[in-house]
Amino acid sequence: MFKNKDRYLSFLLVLPSILAVMIFIYGFIGWSIRVSLSQWKGLNPNFAWAGLNNYIELFSDPRFMVDIRNTVIFTVVFVVGCIVVGFFLAVMLDQGLKGEAFFRTLFLFPMAISFIVTGVVWRWLMNPATGSRMSGLNLLFSYLHLDFLINNWHTTPTWGIAAVALAAIWQMSGYTMALYLAGLRSIPLELREAAQIDGASEWQIYRHVILPILTPVTLSALIILGHISLKVFDLIIAMAGKQLALDVPAIYMWQTTFDGLFYARGAAIATLLLISVAVLIIPYMWFTLRSEKQL
Amino acid sequence: MSKKFWYSLIAVLMLTALVLSACGGAATQAPAQTQPPAQGGKEVEVFSWWTGGGEAAGLEAMIKVFNAKYPDIKFINAAVAGGAGTNARAVLATRLQSGDPPDSWQGHAGQELIGTYVAGNQIQPLNDLYESEGWLKVMPQTLIPLISQDGKIYSVPVNIHRANVLWYNPKILEDNKIAVPTTIDEWFAAMDKLKAAGVTPLALGEQWTKMHLLETILLGTLGAEKYNGLWNGTTDWGSAEVKTALENFQKAMTYANTDSASLSWQDAAQLVVNGDAAFNVMGDWAEGYFRELGKKPKVDYGWAPVPGSVGVFQFLSDSFVLAVGAPDPEAAVAWLKVAGSKEGQEAFNPVKGSICARTDCDKALFGEYLQSAMDDWASNVVVGSLTHGVVANDSWKSEIDTALGLFVSNGDLAAFQSALVNACKSSGPCK
């Protein structure tokens, strides 16, 4: 394949980025892990060994339990919501709709906005005020006489986090749509025609032909949306400020580290976040690497 | 080996060297960035979270005084935006850890200062400055111990704010024939009456305003002495009287607007002057905000001490410090001299809407509310605020904040109290 000389050359060319990655990514990950095993609290570093104490404390910390619960609810609502909405938008556009380009842009547009902006807009839309100060969605429902839909949205303790996930779905389902649309377009027409000739209904075609072919698309959507939801921070800060009912690990990490100066605890939360993302990403990487080899 | 190879090798090595020098240089280059072409000229970098409204305008007024007195020193305003300094403090902590302190920064007088920056050896004592400027005679005796440790004074307070103020809508109270409450029981009775009349009794905002309400109710229920005991370890957080105070807080929350979680303190305070709610507990910076809205004192809003805390002044104070390793200590001291001077404080406070830390400011410069605050500051029992950094260090406050947040969402009072007991053990004076 390559001549020896080219091998050296290519290695040397990537060397600077390898070094940078080693230092700025892996080096700092290592440093964070070291901090998470220390007793550092307060402004000045203290690397005295604490073993796994910070982690053990986290798992009996009621706030961290709220965080885990919220992350699970948020992830499920957000990922499932994006995939379902995105898939149906893609199927609709794939039917050869007039003005497809316009709708495609329309649906993709929210993705261009930052989560902070989305949060500010949706905080207003989901304003829970009643009476004369009512606004946003609640006011709309009130005009439409759909009073049973009026609620406190993101300010309810248990399911408030799901309301935040709705805003996130609004932002990211256009992206999922784009993924699925590309997938749908890559399916050869012959496959559908063959299925039709075999007498399959539209539903059966989707169920047995199209969805299986789209599995890799679903998988990559799952991974990308999944790691976004584990790291969510700005959207919640913008929508809910720092009310604990909507706390997630990233916010706890920020507050405990920089407001409370619990550096070791903050590093432990950060490490757990990294592990949870890795649990999601590594099987995916393994899967894609293996399928690339098979090609 | 071909020529091409060697050229590439050199290019790659140079690139690597560039990358490495960029990392290595980061720590030493950062301060250089804040000292542009100054060539012999002095400059002082002052860090604060005063970026909006009366706060920023007040700082500007004080900078003007500074520029007039020290025309050869360049003032660098390193303000970072964010309510009550939550973002600014994170930026500051990061800068301190990388050995790149600003010359001087704003910190709340009290434990936020002593328990955080003094404990971290980040700020210098200022006793010499206090003596040479004669500040020991003009700064109130109640304040000095709160900014001192082991006889060393660590900061220059520029203002005093009052935390335990009950703002009310005079018209709503009049319409419902309610007198301004002075005890917690009277307050609850008044709010029951308002609730029955279909008025929102209490305006409340986001999380930190709930901590603000909690600390004033702790004060109103326990009284000044036992309240102070919470912070020096002589009042038991697990006691029955603290439980009563927490029950009062829980009851007060039932009178509040349902959308509190989505309101800022300004939104909540505005409900009172707009006639949408009867009461609001907020520090006296709310008065500056009411004036900004064009509202009239005693007509659109009235004020009283939070029920149960009549005769007590729960204060907080913004102060400036001198950093250990300040890039230009002389210029920093010049800034502190202005911050502590009569002229500087008289320029700053009427604009910011607070009273002078010094006791000799001209009363005529201030509005009706602030004049009453000056009288109270001079005559009342003085205690410190929790939310605004006087009585607890940052770690302790953050643990209390977490316990409060959980309580607001689950309403479990017993768990709340035991979390407060634990917070005092882990980060406060309790053993």
Side-chain angles (χ1 to χ4, degrees):
Chain A
M1 276 224 328
F2 289 111
K3 279 180 270 172
N4 241 358
K5 192 178 78 185
D6 289 338
R7 283 189 158 228
Y8 284 122
L9 196 63
S10 52
F11 176 71
L12 279 170
L13 276 172
V14 294
L15 187 67
S17 31
I18 290 180
L19 281 174
V21 166
M22 292 291 265
I23 296 167
F24 291 110
I25 299 183
Y26 296 102
F28 286 1
I29 288 176
W31 191 76
S32 293
I33 292 174
R34 178 64 188 91
V35 172
S36 78
L37 300 173
S38 75
Q39 297 174 10
W40 183 357
K41 173 186 161 186
L43 266 182
N44 295 334
N46 170 10
F47 285 99
W49 188 253
L52 289 174
N53 272 348
N54 291 311
Y55 294 90
I56 294 165
E57 274 173 21
L58 272 182
F59 282 98
S60 56
D61 180 341
R63 177 168 176 178
F64 197 64
M65 293 302 111
V66 171
D67 294 354
I68 291 178
R69 191 197 63 121
N70 281 346
T71 305
V72 169
I73 296 178
F74 183 87
T75 305
V76 170
V77 175
F78 170 62
V79 172
V80 172
C82 276
I83 287 182
V84 170
V85 174
F87 181 72
F88 278 101
L89 288 177
V91 169
M92 265 159 52
L93 286 185
D94 194 40
Q95 304 297 314
L97 188 72
K98 215 176 176 188
E100 187 204 310
F102 170 74
F103 285 107
R104 212 168 45 206
T105 321
L106 191 75
F107 294 142
L108 259 179
F109 199 61
M111 214 185 94
I113 304 172
S114 84
F115 264 136
I116 287 283
V117 178
T118 306
V120 170
V121 171
W122 278 82
R123 182 171 68 184
W124 180 82
L125 282 176
M126 293 183 170
N127 183 352
T130 52
S132 58
R133 292 187 295 115
M134 192 185 268
S135 66
L137 288 175
N138 282 356
L139 190 63
L140 179 75
F141 292 145
S142 156
Y143 277 142
L144 299 174
H145 298 288
L146 296 169
D147 287 15
F148 63 96
L149 282 174
I150 293 175
N151 67 64
N152 284 334
W153 300 109
H154 59 285
T155 55
T156 43
T158 322
W159 295 103
I161 191 78
V164 179
L166 289 183
I169 292 173
W170 176 82
Q171 168 137 16
M172 294 304 292
S173 54
Y175 170 73
T176 336
M177 174 207 74
L179 285 181
Y180 274 120
L181 197 58
L184 285 169
R185 292 280 153 83
S186 70
I187 296 172
L189 210 56
E190 294 80 20
L191 276 180
R192 297 191 193 205
E193 282 168 354
Q196 270 166 355
I197 290 164
D198 286 345
S201 68
E202 194 72 8
W203 164 249
Q204 280 172 323
I205 294 176
Y206 274 107
R207 172 75 188 76
H208 296 289
V209 179
I210 294 179
L211 275 179
I213 297 177
L214 290 180
T215 307
V217 176
T218 308
L219 196 64
S220 36
L222 211 69
I223 301 303
I224 289 160
L225 298 173
H227 93 272
I228 288 177
S229 92
L230 289 175
K231 296 189 304 191
V232 66
F233 174 89
D234 36 7
L235 179 68
I236 293 181
I237 289 285
M239 272 186 82
K242 288 167 179 172
Q243 55 161 325
L244 264 196
L246 300 191
D247 202 44
V248 291
I251 293 176
Y252 190 13
M253 176 188 78
W254 164 267
Q255 279 196 298
T256 203
T257 311
F258 296 111
D259 294 348
L261 306 175
F262 292 94
Y263 282 87
R265 189 198 288 163
I269 300 171
T271 308
L272 288 174
L273 266 178
L274 176 75
I275 292 172
S276 57
V277 172
V279 162
L280 200 67
I281 301 277
I282 288 173
Y284 172 74
M285 285 185 7
W286 179 76
F287 176 82
T288 40
L289 276 180
R290 213 184 50 165
S291 48
E292 269 170 23
K293 264 186 201 156
Q294 282 171 347
L295 284 177
Chain B
M1 299 262 158
S2 73
K3 236 185 209 170
K4 206 171 117 199
F5 172 78
W6 290 110
Y7 281 140
S8 320
L9 179 63
I10 289 165
V12 166
L13 285 179
M14 276 168 67
L15 249 177
T16 317
L18 261 177
V19 169
L20 287 178
S21 65
C23 344
T28 46
Q29 273 170 7
Q33 239 176 21
T34 59
Q35 295 165 7
Q39 282 175 2
K42 293 176 165 185
E43 52 181 31
V44 57
E45 188 189 11
V46 176
F47 187 98
S48 75
W49 57 79
W50 290 331
T51 55
E55 302 180 329
L59 181 61
E60 280 304 321
M62 202 154 49
I63 293 173
K64 231 180 190 171
V65 175
F66 178 78
N67 286 338
K69 271 196 178 168
Y70 301 96
D72 56 325
I73 303 178
K74 191 170 168 238
F75 187 93
I76 300 171
N77 182 0
V80 172
T86 44
N87 303 333
R89 288 223 294 275
V91 174
L92 181 61
T94 315
R95 285 190 60 175
L96 292 178
Q97 262 152 30
S98 60
D100 171 32
D103 295 286
S104 178
W105 67 82
Q106 169 204 6
H108 286 130
Q111 275 302 310
E112 183 182 306
L113 192 83
I114 304 293
T116 307
Y117 301 120
V118 174
N121 295 322
Q122 300 284 358
I123 52 181
Q124 303 187 26
L126 300 167
N127 294 43
D128 295 347
L129 194 58
Y130 268 77
E131 267 165 36
S132 66
E133 296 291 305
W135 288 342
L136 287 168
K137 291 186 205 89
V138 292
M139 296 285 185
Q141 290 310 310
T142 40
L143 191 55
I144 300 288
L146 287 161
I147 51 174
S148 308
Q149 175 141 307
D150 306 328
K152 291 177 185 151
I153 310 174
Y154 280 97
S155 76
V156 180
V158 293
N159 68 351
I160 301 293
H161 270 300
R162 186 175 194 171
N164 62 326
V165 189
L166 178 74
W167 303 98
Y168 59 85
N169 183 312
K171 191 168 175 301
I172 294 182
L173 293 202
E174 204 175 294
D175 289 350
N176 293 283
K177 299 189 178 58
I178 290 169
V180 178
T182 54
T183 67
I184 295 219
D185 288 333
E186 277 175 38
W187 192 24
F188 286 160
M191 292 202 287
D192 280 329
K193 209 169 163 188
L194 289 163
K195 207 175 185 179
V199 181
T200 305
L202 180 65
L204 192 60
E206 60 188 311
Q207 172 107 4
W208 74 262
T209 70
K210 288 169 186 145
M211 191 197 263
H212 190 108
L213 179 66
L214 171 69
E215 71 175 49
T216 55
I217 289 181
L218 278 170
L219 174 64
T221 312
L222 298 172
E225 203 175 315
K226 291 210 166 122
Y227 172 82
N228 281 335
L230 289 173
W231 313 111
N232 62 28
T234 54
T235 303
D236 179 8
W237 279 92
S239 64
E241 43 199 0
V242 172
K243 189 170 174 228
T244 311
L246 298 180
E247 280 165 356
N248 282 340
F249 172 69
Q250 190 171 31
K251 189 163 182 202
M253 297 267 292
T254 62
Y255 296 108
N257 45 312
T258 48
D259 58 340
S260 65
S262 65
L263 300 186
S264 67
W265 73 262
Q266 287 98 331
D267 298 334
Q270 209 177 351
L271 294 182
V272 171
V273 286
N274 287 351
D276 289 318
F279 297 109
N280 175 233
V281 173
M282 186 39 60
D284 56 11
W285 45 92
E287 211 253 348
Y289 180 61
F290 295 153
R291 285 169 166 273
E292 228 172 89
L293 295 174
K295 303 290 178 182
K296 302 254 174 320
K298 299 236 164 117
V299 178
D300 296 306
Y301 59 92
W303 59 88
V306 168
S309 69
V310 179
V312 184
F313 193 108
Q314 190 180 33
F315 91 103
L316 59 120
S317 165
D318 292 303
S319 67
F320 283 95
V321 302
L322 176 60
V324 168
D328 193 339
E330 265 178 64
V333 166
W335 161 249
L336 293 177
K337 280 183 182 166
V338 171
S341 70
K342 185 164 183 260
E343 201 185 346
Q345 300 207 353
E346 282 181 347
F348 175 76
N349 285 302
V351 184
K352 152 108 166 128
S354 47
I355 63 176
C356 294
R358 294 172 69 106
T359 46
D360 57 352
C361 279
D362 183 4
K363 222 172 165 180
L365 292 168
F366 295 86
E368 192 178 358
Y369 166 76
L370 289 175
Q371 289 190 2
S372 81
M374 288 168 100
D375 291 340
D376 287 350
W377 172 244
S379 61
N380 281 0
V381 177
V382 170
V383 301
S385 152
L386 158 69
T387 316
H388 307 283
V390 183
V391 291
N393 62 46
D394 282 352
S395 298
W396 192 5
K397 185 179 126 191
S398 133
E399 296 291 76
I400 294 174
D401 189 40
T402 291
L404 172 64
L406 289 168
F407 174 64
V408 167
S409 56
N410 66 21
D412 186 343
L413 198 116
F416 183 28
Q417 191 168 13
S418 75
L420 291 173
V421 171
N422 288 336
C424 185
K425 274 186 196 145
S426 79
S427 304
C430 308
K431 286 286 165 287

